[in-house]
């Protein structure tokens, strides 16, 4: 299943969502300019290497909190064009709606903390792994988790390939996201006895990000929709 667009109407321009995409694109283009040696060094320094984080020995994190920096920086790194484009496409579809509901400043904090929370779970599950986990998918999973709760009546136009024939179908967002989460959970559980990073996919980061978004987005949500102001006549005022 590949999402094409959703049906949610927004009331504000997603400044932060586009800023995240632009910054991530700049970082990705910078990666492409590096030699193989410099690229690998960048991944090992700013990617999330669970064995370097030493999450099972918190005293080391207290003594050297700079070890936590990759929890944020890893979400701006990508390993291929497909990795980058698929993540940014998903973020453009769902992120604008979540930013619209949280407000730009809260959305930025939510996105970064979602990515860090996703990385923490990944580091816990594969604490001895020396493979750098990179990509925005954990942070985007947090956005999907928030969307799952905030927009239960939304629908997602989805491309499904039946053999070689494309089929476009409009699915309820809750169904689309539930299927997505279940596939991540099944993959994560089935690989739990291994490194939880198989084929370059950090399944537990996706799971952790989605659950964080579901249960903690409410702490970033204002009581009133940020788009509500005196500029809106009552009949056009968006609901909270």
């Amino acid at each position: 299943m590949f999402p094409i667009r959703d049906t949610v109407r927004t009331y504000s321009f997603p400044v932060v969502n586009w800023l995240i995409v632009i910054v991530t694109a700049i970082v990705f283009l910078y990666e492409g300019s590096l030699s193989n040696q410099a690229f690998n060094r960048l991944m090992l320094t700013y990617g999330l290497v669970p064995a370097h984080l030493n999450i099972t020995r918190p005293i080391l994190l207290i003594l050297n909190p700079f070890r936590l920096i990759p929890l944020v920086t890893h979400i701006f790194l990508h390993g291929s064009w497909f990795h980058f484009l698929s993540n940014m496409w998903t973020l453009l579809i769902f992120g604008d709606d979540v930013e619209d509901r949280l407000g730009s400043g809260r959305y930025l904090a939510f996105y970064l903390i979602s990515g860090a929370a996703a990385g923490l779970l990944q580091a816990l599950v594969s604490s001895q792994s020396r493979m750098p986990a990179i990509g925005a998918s954990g942070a985007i999973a947090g956005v999907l988790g928030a969307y799952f709760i905030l927009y239960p009546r939304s629908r997602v136009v989805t491309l499904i390939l039946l053999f070689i024939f494309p089929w476009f179908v409009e699915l309820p967002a809750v169904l689309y996201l539930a299927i997505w989460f279940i596939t991540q959970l099944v993959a994560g559980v089935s690989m739990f006895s291994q490194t939880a990073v198989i084929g370059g996919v950090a399944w537990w980061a996706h799971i952790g990000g989605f659950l964080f978004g579901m249960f903690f987005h409410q702490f970033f949500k204002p009581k009133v929709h940020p788009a509500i102001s005196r500029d809106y006549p009552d009949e056009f005022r968006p609901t909270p």
Side-chain angles (χ1 to χ4, degrees):
M1 298 191 306
F2 187 80
I4 303 300
R5 63 177 178 85
D6 70 342
T7 60
V8 174
R9 175 189 175 189
T10 57
Y11 299 91
S12 60
F13 182 78
V15 176
V16 167
N17 205 52
W18 273 105
L19 181 62
I20 291 170
V21 172
I22 292 170
V23 170
T24 306
I26 291 172
V27 172
F28 182 68
L29 292 175
Y30 171 70
E31 292 174 25
S33 70
L34 299 176
S35 65
N36 288 338
Q37 184 179 5
F39 176 81
N40 291 335
R41 185 165 57 247
L42 179 72
M43 296 298 110
L44 290 172
T45 302
Y46 295 103
L48 180 61
V49 182
H52 294 175
L53 191 61
N54 285 313
I55 194 66
T56 57
R57 301 174 65 187
I59 187 62
L60 296 179
L61 297 177
I62 296 174
L63 294 175
N64 185 9
F66 289 105
R67 290 175 179 267
L68 296 173
I69 290 176
L71 285 174
V72 174
T73 56
H74 84 281
I75 67 180
F76 294 97
L77 302 173
H78 291 83
S80 68
W81 276 103
F82 177 79
H83 191 201
F84 165 73
L85 291 174
S86 60
N87 273 346
M88 294 303 99
W89 179 261
T90 303
L91 184 62
L92 286 173
I93 291 176
F94 298 99
D96 60 334
D97 307 306
V98 177
E99 179 179 348
D100 185 66
R101 187 62 187 87
L102 300 186
S104 294
R106 292 182 177 89
Y107 175 69
L108 177 59
F110 172 75
Y111 181 83
L112 296 176
I113 296 173
S114 291
L120 275 175
L121 183 59
Q122 181 63 43
L124 280 170
V125 171
S126 54
S127 60
Q128 303 304 313
S129 173
R130 296 187 177 275
M131 179 184 295
I134 59 173
S137 53
I140 294 171
V143 173
L144 298 181
Y147 189 104
F148 183 79
I149 301 298
L150 292 172
Y151 299 101
R153 292 189 294 273
S154 173
R155 303 181 74 83
V156 179
V157 177
T158 306
L159 169 63
I160 300 175
L161 289 177
L162 296 177
F163 301 103
I164 61 172
F165 301 103
W167 180 36
F168 293 92
V169 59
E170 193 172 278
L171 297 176
V174 291
L175 175 61
Y176 175 89
L177 294 174
I179 293 173
W180 179 87
F181 178 72
I182 290 171
T183 59
Q184 309 306 302
L185 188 60
V186 169
V189 170
S190 66
M191 298 175 181
F192 191 84
S193 61
Q194 302 177 43
T195 63
V197 183
I198 304 299
V201 180
W203 302 109
W204 287 95
H206 300 176
I207 296 166
F210 191 88
L211 292 176
F212 179 88
M214 278 186 62
F215 295 110
F216 291 96
H217 76 277
Q218 58 185 321
F219 295 105
F220 299 85
K221 185 176 68 173
K223 294 182 179 179
V224 178
H225 193 297
I228 293 180
S229 70
R230 296 174 184 174
D231 297 331
Y232 279 93
D234 289 340
E235 61 268 28
F236 297 113
R237 187 166 296 198
T239 56

